[in-house]
Amino acid sequence: MKKLGVGFLTGCLALALATSALAEQKEQVNVYENNNLVRSVVFIEGRSEYFVDGNTPGVKMDAAPYISQDRTFVPVRFLGNALGVTNENIFWDTETSKAKLVLGSRSAELTIGKKELLAGSQAKTMDVAPELKNARTYLPARFVAEALGYQVDFVDGLVVCYPEGTEKPDVKAVKQYLQEPQQQGETYNLNGYIVPVKPETEILIDDDKENRVEIGIGIIIPNRDVQAQCDEAEKILASKLGKDFAKQVVDVARTKTDVLVQLGEKFTGPNGETVRVVSGYNFPTMSITVWSEGA
């Protein structure tokens, strides 16, 4: 098996970001305290944030859990990270569509479309199968959590995971936080870039660690405020690459104010990154893509 990598976010950028696929944001949490599992992890349907030990705000995700067939599905990497599985112990086999998570002596192995889970060496039948949605792998939270040593309860709309054999945790702090007005300007760390959870413009954010893409930013042309999208893209790039370099790159993108303009510029970033600004003739989007050094 090779390490986890997941697919691209939208067809409209397929030509501009041909190698891009949604993958990992580096923000994760250490879920151990004195070598013991944490007291609780909470997921909420439709919310791209999970909570460890009742701490708020939670850890940001770039995708949200959803409910299907009365089961809560969570993106595989975020489910693993929340339960204590490091990225190095989350595996994805493209040929067999299998995901495997390893936590100490425990493991959970599942296959897209199959209602069977391999917990260590023991095969178990599930009532749902892992799903592929928007090119992301989603796993049923309960079955994976139980295989990795957690008990799972559904409390007031919250999916609460806690170590088996321990008392049900108090999630009042999380419930109170969820009742508060949503904060504006929330961000997350994507490979060192500070990215808004909900971009003000219609830019599309992507990355693909398998192909060493640090970040891809898609900008839509027709009937959109291109300059506003460029402003937001520049701010994101500047958070890691510096203001001067980000402006140099994005100034190229600013020249495409019409779909008939063709772009194809290449830059070398301050850390040896390869940066391209690309858009085809009569193409409705353009992309700013950053590859890691040596890619």
Side-chain angles (χ1 to χ4, degrees):
M1 285 188 174
K2 60 184 178 181
K3 292 178 183 176
L4 176 68
V6 251
F8 191 45
L9 50 78
T10 180
C12 74
L13 287 177
L15 295 179
L17 288 173
T19 61
S20 293
L22 279 172
E24 60 188 13
Q25 83 190 41
K26 284 194 173 180
E27 183 177 5
Q28 69 182 66
V29 71
N30 181 3
V31 298
Y32 288 93
E33 295 177 352
N34 300 321
N35 296 319
N36 294 315
L37 291 175
V38 295
R39 295 180 292 278
S40 68
V41 177
V42 174
F43 293 100
I44 302 99
E45 176 195 8
R47 190 178 184 96
S48 54
E49 184 178 21
Y50 66 83
F51 303 87
V52 177
D53 280 356
N55 293 319
T56 60
V59 180
K60 303 300 181 185
M61 302 183 283
D62 61 5
Y66 64 89
I67 291 179
S68 176
Q69 304 171 71
D70 294 324
R71 294 294 185 186
T72 301
F73 287 76
V74 180
V76 54
R77 184 177 59 81
F78 293 111
L79 177 59
N81 287 168
L83 298 176
V85 183
T86 62
N87 291 331
E88 291 73 20
N89 287 307
I90 302 175
F91 304 91
W92 172 253
D93 190 319
T94 303
E95 294 183 0
T96 61
S97 296
K98 285 185 178 181
K100 185 176 182 179
L101 300 86
V102 179
L103 181 61
S105 61
R106 295 177 179 263
S107 65
E109 186 172 333
L110 307 91
T111 303
I112 295 292
K114 292 189 177 182
K115 296 181 179 181
E116 183 177 89
L117 177 147
L118 191 62
S121 60
Q122 184 178 4
K124 297 184 177 181
T125 300
M126 304 182 290
D127 56 10
V128 293
E131 297 181 355
L132 193 65
K133 182 178 181 181
N134 297 327
R136 303 291 298 269
T137 299
Y138 287 79
L139 303 183
R142 175 179 295 276
F143 294 106
V144 174
E146 289 177 347
L148 297 179
Y150 285 85
Q151 185 169 333
V152 182
D153 285 322
F154 197 69
V155 181
D156 297 334
L158 310 179
V159 178
V160 183
C161 309
Y162 54 101
E164 58 190 15
T166 65
E167 294 184 3
K168 184 181 296 187
D170 184 349
V171 294
K172 289 180 181 178
V174 174
K175 291 166 66 174
Q176 181 177 349
Y177 172 77
L178 294 173
Q179 293 172 354
E180 297 173 355
Q182 288 296 296
Q183 299 180 13
Q184 300 298 315
E186 293 180 334
T187 61
Y188 65 94
N189 187 315
L190 178 65
N191 301 325
Y193 299 87
I194 305 304
V195 179
V197 173
K198 295 182 179 180
E200 295 179 5
T201 65
E202 297 185 60
I203 58 172
L204 305 169
I205 306 297
D206 199 10
D207 74 338
D208 176 10
K209 296 306 289 181
E210 190 168 311
N211 290 295
R212 301 187 69 177
V213 172
E214 292 187 0
I215 190 170
I217 302 176
I219 297 174
I220 304 171
I221 311 301
N223 304 316
R224 303 295 195 279
D225 188 336
V226 174
Q227 297 308 317
Q229 293 179 79
C230 287
D231 289 345
E232 192 156 25
E234 183 175 333
K235 185 176 181 180
I236 292 169
L237 293 177
S239 67
K240 181 175 181 179
L241 304 180
K243 292 183 179 179
D244 292 341
F245 182 75
K247 184 178 186 303
Q248 181 184 6
V249 171
V250 177
D251 277 351
V252 173
R254 295 183 193 280
T255 64
K256 178 151 184 168
T257 56
D258 185 277
V259 295
L260 299 181
V261 176
Q262 184 171 353
L263 300 177
E265 294 289 334
K266 178 181 177 181
F267 302 87
T268 299
N271 306 306
E273 305 92 343
T274 297
V275 184
R276 292 183 183 274
V277 183
V278 176
S279 184
Y281 176 79
N282 201 26
F283 200 73
T285 64
M286 58 180 155
S287 67
I288 303 172
T289 311
V290 181
W291 280 270
S292 300
E293 180 182 5

